[in-house]
């Protein structure tokens, strides 16, 4: 079972999402919170696999709540966070991804998309389809560079793994990368998995952010 927690300051939103998710045979809602502060406490108590996190909330917003929830010691349980937003790719989404979120979802997305998002993120994939990733990159690249990531970490990668990371950051799907490098798609999946492990990244969404933060990929490159 995939354990889900819902965080939103609107009770009707929480109740609606909870009813939808609870109706799925492989999902269970372990709690809900009306603000970021309660979300941090509840995440530690209930150890959800996925947290659906609103951004604009009282007491503590979703970005800081995401940062605190994911600020755990290596080897300890860290849930995946999906940001819920009413705006497509607004500034808050970029900051949330930098804080460690695994992806984002519009609040008015169809019910099937919400259910699928939980399953995709729980499986370890970032909730960024290639087409969405490309749009994300376009806007991410236009913003001032942040240097919080350590470029030296790239030294842990082999040349092929570095190339795979570069292609992931450019929004290429596994199939597209396989075609570019003339290898099997399963080989690409293996490379991506090794990249995430070596760099201690949770998913492809974080890989995109890391590649830009370190300067591996830049606008127009």
């Amino acid at each position: 079972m995939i354990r889900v927690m819902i965080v939103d300051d609107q009770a009707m939103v929480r109740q609606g999402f909870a009813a939808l998710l609870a109706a799925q045979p492989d999902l269970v809602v372990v709690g809900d919170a009306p603000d970021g502060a309660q979300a941090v406490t509840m995440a530690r108590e209930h150890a959800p696999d996925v947290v659906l996190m609103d951004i604009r909330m009282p007491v503590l917003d979703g970005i800081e709540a995401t940062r605190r929830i994911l600020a755990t010691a290596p080897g300890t349980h860290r849930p995946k966070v999906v940001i819920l937003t009413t705006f497509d790719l607004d500034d808050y989404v970029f900051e949330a991804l930098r804080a460690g979120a695994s992806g984002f979802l519009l609040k008015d997305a169809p019910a099937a998309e919400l259910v699928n998002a939980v399953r995709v993120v729980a499986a370890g994939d970032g909730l960024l389809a290639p087409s969405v990733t490309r749009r994300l990159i376009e806007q991410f690249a236009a913003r001032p560079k942040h240097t919080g990531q350590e470029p030296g970490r790239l030294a842990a990668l082999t040349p092929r793994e570095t190339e795979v990371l570069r292609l992931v950051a450019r929004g290429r799907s596994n199939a597209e990368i396989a075609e570019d490098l003339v290898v099997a798609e399963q080989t690409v999946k293996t490379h991506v998995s090794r990249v995430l492990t070596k760099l201690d990244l949770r998913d492809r969404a974080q890989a995109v952010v890391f590649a830009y933060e370190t300067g591996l990929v830049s606008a127009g490159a």
Side-chain angles (χ1 to χ4, degrees):
M1 295 289 284
I2 300 172
R3 298 166 58 83
V4 186
M5 191 173 81
I6 303 166
V7 186
D8 195 290
D9 60 345
Q10 298 182 45
M12 289 184 65
V13 171
R14 297 198 307 275
Q15 293 168 5
F17 284 176
L20 172 64
L21 297 175
Q24 308 303 313
D26 58 335
L27 307 180
V28 59
V29 177
V30 296
D32 64 84
D35 60 65
Q38 290 189 45
V40 174
T41 299
M42 292 185 67
R44 292 169 181 163
E45 293 177 350
H46 300 293
D49 299 307
V50 176
V51 177
L52 297 177
M53 178 77 74
D54 188 21
I55 288 183
R56 299 172 180 83
M57 295 182 293
V59 185
L60 190 69
D61 66 34
I63 295 174
E64 183 58 28
T66 295
R67 188 175 290 113
R68 295 186 188 184
I69 287 173
L70 298 178
T72 58
T76 58
H77 177 77
R78 287 192 297 185
K80 307 293 177 57
V81 177
V82 175
I83 296 298
L84 300 171
T85 177
T86 54
F87 299 95
D88 191 3
L89 294 177
D90 62 12
D91 288 337
Y92 292 97
V93 170
F94 292 97
E95 291 306 313
L97 288 172
R98 288 193 179 106
S102 293
F104 67 93
L105 188 70
L106 294 178
K107 280 189 176 182
D108 59 359
E113 284 190 21
L114 174 65
V115 173
N116 181 64
V118 171
R119 292 172 176 149
V120 167
V121 171
D125 295 322
L127 192 66
L128 295 172
S131 61
V132 176
T133 305
R134 293 187 183 103
R135 292 167 53 217
L136 173 66
I137 289 170
E138 289 174 2
Q139 297 194 34
F140 190 96
R143 284 160 167 71
K145 285 188 178 181
H146 288 242
T147 56
Q149 300 285 2
E150 175 53 58
R153 289 168 63 189
L154 289 169
L157 304 181
T158 65
R160 177 47 62 93
E161 289 166 352
T162 300
E163 182 61 19
V164 169
L165 173 58
R166 186 178 288 110
L167 291 170
V168 167
R170 287 173 177 163
R172 308 289 278 177
S173 67
N174 285 347
E176 290 171 332
I177 295 173
E179 183 176 350
D180 289 344
L181 301 181
V182 194
V183 297
E185 187 172 345
Q186 184 57 49
T187 300
V188 174
K189 292 180 180 179
T190 298
H191 284 312
V192 171
S193 178
R194 288 175 178 168
V195 167
L196 298 181
T197 298
K198 287 184 177 182
L199 298 179
D200 191 29
L201 301 173
R202 283 177 289 282
D203 47 48
R204 295 174 79 97
Q206 294 305 298
V208 172
V209 174
F210 179 88
Y212 276 92
E213 294 282 342
T214 58
L216 176 66
V217 178
S218 59

